[in-house]
Amino acid sequence: MKRELLVALGLSVGLCAAWGCGEPEEDPVEDVGVEEDAGDVGGEEDAGDIGGEEDADVEEDADGGDEDTDVGGGDVSVEVEGLPEGRTYFRSVSGVVVTCEEGCEVACELSLDGAAAEAVACEEGQAFDLEGLEYGEYELGVVVDGEVAATRGFEVHPPEWASVSGGAGHTCSILLDGHLVCFGDGDEGQLGDGAGASSAEAVLVDGTWSAVDAGASHTCAISEEGALYCWGTSAEGALGTGETSSNSPVQVGTESDWESVSAGGSHSCGIRAGGALYCWGDSTQGATGLGSEVSEATEPVLVEADGVSAWSAVSAGDGFTCALTDAGALYCWGRADAAVVGPNGDTVSEPRAYAGELEFSAISAGLVHACGVVDGGESPDDVQCWGEGAAYQLGTGETRRENSPTTRAVGSVELSSVVSGATFSCGLAPEGTLNCWGSNTSGQLGFDPVTAEFPFPAQVSEEVWETVGAGFAHSCGVRASDKSLLCWGDNSAGALGRGNVSEEALFEGAEIVWPF
């Protein structure tokens, strides 16, 4: 989920201040998938987006890969640099350079899908660009002294997506080749492209990435090298960099062994190699798990719990956090109205274990509720939820608050993954169909908002999904058949990536606009 969130849907959750603390989300793009949050991404499932394994079948990008030497006819040795290796999703290629070992005059020609080649302006040793490319298979030929001395092939393909996370009013998603884009509300720098402005079309974030989670007004992501970066705005320290705002990614610390991250309303948490859990940001409600004497942490601080040696998953909500040990035990801490209640009904500022013998494999925190996947062992896995239920977001058919994981209504469809939005939840069935429940006021469940709430999980369509992410009041998913990215729900800030903003509830999923 996430308000900001939201939640991990890895979504992420929104700040009370940003969204209000009335009745009801990343990561964070914090976040449903066949396997992650309304607010966390990476490693295990996250609280705003969840999905299966990512397929890294794309090798290089259109901005230039490794150098390649192509030797053609005669004794001329020609080298071509800057072309993508294999498949690219970008319809322009910049900085292509053709060089000869001893210098020569060259001519270039480009063909598409085996058609006749057309001349391309090029000069030996000088960079040139290929622009306005169409989707298809290309071959660049380099001609020297009237003979083709080298050829290079590459494919321009429609974008294929690996993961998605919804925040309060923005969305972030990673392509199979590791490129990251964000779109929607960006006035506080949460899109990460350096502009500090909103965009209803996708904008590119520099670098290549393995995980991302969209929060309320900030975003965190893990680079392919394992380094953690955050950007956006947080007066409470949720960026973890000691800064209160940044329009582009700033590294958190110097470590390069981060495995997952979750961006919540005004705090963030992440897990490093070996299972060490860290949180940072606003802790006035105990969300960082660092104790009642800590109200704010501007850099990651180790979270400890008696008897816990390693953590496997974490999801940051709005003022609370839930995490799983490597044995699948559930711990939560933070605001009491999210069902994190101490012995006297007090807010819990340190990790608190839930009683019972349930083992969880994934969790996702929303605005003031959370859901998790219960490991069924030899039986099918199932989803249970807890926290505030006023909008039916727990899937129990009741609106009461549940202070511990609660089985969904009898007869509910079997689910193997879950993601929590602000006041709604979605899960994937084992075969990949999407089921959602809770608030539908903006069409975020994928149904006409004439029905404002769904007490029980309802199948959205016959579509099969690979992963889904939940934001504050919107959802996005990666379609299994072609790995395209579709979004639906609240588009008032452009979080659906359709190139425009609208106050109308857009409950039917549509592919995002691809401007590159």
Side-chain angles (χ1 to χ4, degrees), residues 120-292:
V120 174
C122 68
E123 184 177 345
E124 195 267 337
Q126 301 297 313
F128 63 95
D129 302 334
L130 302 175
E131 299 180 333
L133 300 175
E134 300 176 11
Y135 294 132
E137 296 186 1
Y138 284 87
E139 183 174 86
L140 178 69
V142 180
V143 179
V144 178
D145 295 333
E147 295 186 10
V148 176
T151 60
R152 282 286 311 282
F154 63 96
E155 179 186 11
V156 181
H157 193 279
E160 297 173 298
W161 302 92
S163 65
V164 62
S165 177
H170 72 294
T171 304
C172 294
S173 188
I174 298 177
L175 287 159
L176 286 181
D177 65 359
H179 283 94
L180 169 64
V181 302
C182 296
F183 43 92
D185 184 8
D187 291 345
E188 296 185 87
Q190 59 267 55
L191 300 188
D193 65 331
S198 298
S199 175
E201 288 188 356
V203 297
L204 190 64
V205 181
D206 286 345
T208 51
W209 308 85
S210 63
V212 66
D213 197 57
S217 56
H218 74 290
T219 305
C220 293
I222 299 173
S223 72
E224 288 192 334
E225 296 74 29
L228 175 62
Y229 292 77
C230 294
W231 58 91
T233 299
S234 174
E236 301 85 1
L239 302 187
T241 62
E243 302 179 11
T244 58
S245 65
S246 176
N247 293 334
S248 56
V250 178
Q251 187 170 355
V252 180
T254 59
E255 297 80 10
S256 58
D257 62 350
W258 292 93
E259 295 186 341
S260 68
V261 65
S262 177
S266 53
H267 75 291
S268 307
C269 296
I271 296 176
R272 291 175 54 192
L277 171 63
Y278 293 80
C279 291
W280 57 97
D282 182 17
S283 196
T284 54
Q285 295 178 296
T288 64
L290 302 176
S292 58

Side-chain angles (χ1 to χ4, degrees), residues 192-463:
D193 65 331
S198 298
S199 175
E201 288 188 356
V203 297
L204 190 64
V205 181
D206 286 345
T208 51
W209 308 85
S210 63
V212 66
D213 197 57
S217 56
H218 74 290
T219 305
C220 293
I222 299 173
S223 72
E224 288 192 334
E225 296 74 29
L228 175 62
Y229 292 77
C230 294
W231 58 91
T233 299
S234 174
E236 301 85 1
L239 302 187
T241 62
E243 302 179 11
T244 58
S245 65
S246 176
N247 293 334
S248 56
V250 178
Q251 187 170 355
V252 180
T254 59
E255 297 80 10
S256 58
D257 62 350
W258 292 93
E259 295 186 341
S260 68
V261 65
S262 177
S266 53
H267 75 291
S268 307
C269 296
I271 296 176
R272 291 175 54 192
L277 171 63
Y278 293 80
C279 291
W280 57 97
D282 182 17
S283 196
T284 54
Q285 295 178 296
T288 64
L290 302 176
S292 58
E293 296 182 358
V294 177
S295 61
E296 179 181 295
T298 59
E299 60 184 26
V301 180
L302 183 67
V303 178
E304 299 180 287
D306 291 342
V308 178
S309 60
W311 304 86
S312 63
V314 64
S315 182
D318 187 31
F320 76 104
T321 303
C322 290
L324 302 179
T325 69
D326 58 357
L330 173 65
Y331 284 72
C332 294
W333 54 93
R335 57 191 296 177
D337 58 353
V340 187
V341 183
N344 300 313
D346 299 329
T347 292
V348 176
S349 57
E350 296 180 352
R352 166 187 175 271
Y354 281 85
E357 299 180 355
L358 294 177
E359 291 185 9
F360 288 82
S361 60
I363 49 171
S364 177
L367 186 61
V368 283
H369 82 289
C371 297
V373 178
V374 178
D375 188 345
E378 296 183 359
S379 300
D381 292 347
D382 196 17
V383 167
Q384 296 191 15
C385 301
W386 59 96
E388 181 57 59
Y392 294 104
Q393 62 264 53
L394 304 186
T396 61
E398 304 288 344
T399 56
R400 64 174 176 266
R401 179 185 303 164
E402 299 289 352
N403 289 331
S404 61
T406 303
T407 302
R408 291 172 299 120
V410 175
S412 292
V413 63
E414 179 187 340
L415 298 175
S416 58
S417 64
V418 68
V419 60
S420 300
T423 55
F424 70 100
S425 306
C426 293
L428 292 182
E431 68 275 12
T433 55
L434 177 64
N435 295 262
C436 295
W437 60 96
S439 175
N440 187 49
T441 55
S442 297
Q444 61 265 49
L445 302 189
F447 298 100
D448 190 324
V450 67
T451 303
E453 294 173 333
F454 281 71
F456 312 105
Q459 185 171 321
V460 177
S461 68
E462 296 298 323
E463 198 78 70

